C-alpha cells in the first residue's frame, strides 16, 4: 500500500522543525511496509487534493502567511471538496490560522483565510509562548507554542482538546486547536508528531480508513517515545499542581 503525503509550502511554512512531522509519518509508514510518497509543493505548483491521503501545513510568520494567501485562495474550492471527502489534514499554527476566516495582524490589517472552518484569529497584545499539554480523547499531546494570534471557534466548532498546561487557542478558554472532519488544526509545534506517536497513528489510521482499507496498524515499539512524552507531561503538570 502507498500513502500520498503532501507537505504544502515547506519553503514558507516550516517553523521549529515542523518538517519533523513529515519524517515521522513517513517512518511510521515504512516500518509497517506502507510506502509513503512525499510530495513537496509550493507557490504555483499543480496539486491534486483529492488524490492526497494526508496534507500537512506548517507554521510561519505573518509575513509568510501574507505571501502565500493568494496562492492558497485559488486552491480553496478543490481543497474544500477534498476535506468534505475526508482528506486528512494536519495544520500547525500559521497553517491552522489559514484554514479559518481571517487572521487580523497586530497592525489591524487582515489576512484572508480559506474560511473552510468557522474560526478566526486576532493578534493579541503579547505572544503566547511555551510548552503545552493538551488532553485529547483521554490521552495527552505535548508540544511547544509560539503565536501572537488568538484563535476563536464559532458556535458548534469542536476544539482539538483541552489545555492542561500552556495557553492553547487564545489563553482564555482553555481550548486548543480544532477538529473538523479529518482536519486537525493546532498550535503545537515541537514538532508535534515525534512527541506524540499515538497522534501520528491516528492520522495514518484515518487516511487508510478513507481508502476503504483495513485500518489496523501494526504495533510499533514506542517505549522510548512514550517515555519522553511522559517525562514532559509529568514535568509540566507538576508545575500546575504546585
Ligand atoms: N503568525 C502567526 C502568529 O504569530 C503564526 C505563528 C506561527 O506559525 N508560529 O500568531
Amino acid at each position: 500500500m502507498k500513502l500520498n503525503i503532501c507537505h504544502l509550502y515547506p519553503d514558507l511554512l516550516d517553523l521549529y522543525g515542523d518538517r519533523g512531522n513529515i519524517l515521522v509519518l513517513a517512518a511510521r509508514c515504512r516500518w509497517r511496509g506502507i510506502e509513503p510518497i512525499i510530495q513537496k509543493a509550493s507557490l504555483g505548483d499543480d496539486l491534486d487534493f483529492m488524490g492526497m491521503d494526508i496534507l500537512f501545513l506548517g507554521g510561519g510568520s505573518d509575513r509568510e502567511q501574507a505571501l502565500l494567501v493568494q496562492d492558497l485562495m485559488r486552491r480553496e474550492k478543490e481543497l474544500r471538496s477534498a476535506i468534505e471527502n475526508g482528506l486528512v489534514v494536519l495544520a500547525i499554527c500559521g497553517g491552522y490560522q489559514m484554514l479559518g476566516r481571517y487572521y487580523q495582524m497586530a497592525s489591524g490589517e487582515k489576512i484572508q483565510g480559506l474560511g473552510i472552518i468557522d474560526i478566526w484569529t486576532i493578534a493579541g497584545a503579547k505572544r503566547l509562548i511555551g510548552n503545552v499539554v493538551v488532553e485529547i480523547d483521554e490521552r495527552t499531546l505535548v508540544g511547544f507554542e509560539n503565536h501572537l494570534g488568538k484563535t476563536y471557534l464559532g458556535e458548534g466548532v469542536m476544539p482539538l482538546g483541552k489545555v492542561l498546561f500552556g495557553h492553547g487557542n487564545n489563553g482564555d478558554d482553555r481550548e486548543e486547536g480544532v477538529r473538523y472532519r479529518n482536519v486537525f488544526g493546532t498550535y503545537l509545534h515541537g514538532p508535534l508528531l515525534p512527541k506524540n506517536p499515538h497522534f501520528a497513528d491516528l492520522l495514518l489510521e484515518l487516511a487508510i480508513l478513507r481508502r476503504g482499507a483495513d485500518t489496523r496498524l501494526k504495533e510499533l515499539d514506542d517505549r522510548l517515545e512514550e517515555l519522553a512524552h511522559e517525562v514532559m507531561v509529568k514535568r509540566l503538570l507538576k508545575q500546575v499542581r504546585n
Side-chain angles (χ1 to χ4, degrees), residues 13 15-16 18 58-63 65 92-95 97 103 121 123 127 146-150 187 189:
L13 300 180
L15 282 178
Y16 314 114
D18 280 336
S61 67
D62 294 5
R63 185 179 155 271
Q65 283 173 260
I92 314 271
C93 203
Q97 294 172 351
Y103 169 48
T121 305
R127 297 199 77 78
N146 184 356
H147 50 111
L148 196 58
K150 298 174 103 181
Y187 274 112
H189 290 277

Side-chain angles (χ1 to χ4, degrees), residues 27-198:
R28 296 183 77 79
C29 281
R30 274 192 214 104
W31 290 335
R32 294 171 163 123
I34 300 168
E35 188 187 337
I37 313 281
I38 310 292
Q39 178 193 13
K40 288 184 186 171
S42 195
L43 304 177
D45 290 342
D46 281 339
L47 285 178
D48 168 23
F49 289 111
M50 210 53 106
M52 291 176 194
D53 294 299
I54 301 181
L55 170 67
F56 176 72
L57 279 162
S61 67
D62 294 5
R63 185 179 155 271
E64 282 141 357
Q65 283 173 260
L67 273 174
L68 59 82
V69 64
Q70 274 194 354
D71 187 76
L72 198 59
M73 288 313 294
R74 90 184 159 78
R75 307 181 189 276
E76 183 265 331
K77 236 174 107 187
E78 260 190 78
L79 177 55
R80 187 186 291 269
S81 317
I83 285 175
E84 293 305 320
N85 183 261
L87 173 65
V88 175
V89 180
L90 175 62
I92 314 271
C93 203
Y96 161 38
Q97 294 172 351
M98 301 301 287
L99 296 174
R101 284 164 34 196
Y102 61 84
Y103 169 48
Q104 185 177 313
M105 295 185 283
S107 61
E109 208 181 316
K110 279 185 186 171
I111 301 177
Q112 193 189 351
L114 289 160
I116 293 177
I117 309 179
D118 184 20
I119 58 171
W120 59 95
T121 305
I122 299 171
K126 66 171 176 62
R127 297 199 77 78
L128 305 176
I129 305 183
N131 289 310
V132 193
V133 182
V134 178
E135 184 183 83
I136 130 169
D137 300 331
E138 292 171 21
R139 302 214 45 178
T140 46
L141 293 179
V142 291
F144 170 80
E145 64 183 333
N146 184 356
H147 50 111
L148 196 58
K150 298 174 103 181
T151 298
Y152 299 92
L153 274 50
E155 224 171 88
V157 179
M158 224 168 70
L160 177 62
K162 185 176 145 213
V163 175
L164 301 181
F165 185 91
H167 305 285
N169 278 341
N170 49 53
D172 302 322
D173 59 21
R174 312 303 294 159
E175 289 183 348
E176 209 303 304
V178 76
R179 167 88 196 255
Y180 174 73
R181 296 194 181 270
N182 287 338
V183 178
F184 299 84
T186 176
Y187 274 112
L188 272 53
H189 290 277
L192 172 68
L193 299 182
K195 296 181 175 181
N196 304 281
H198 56 284

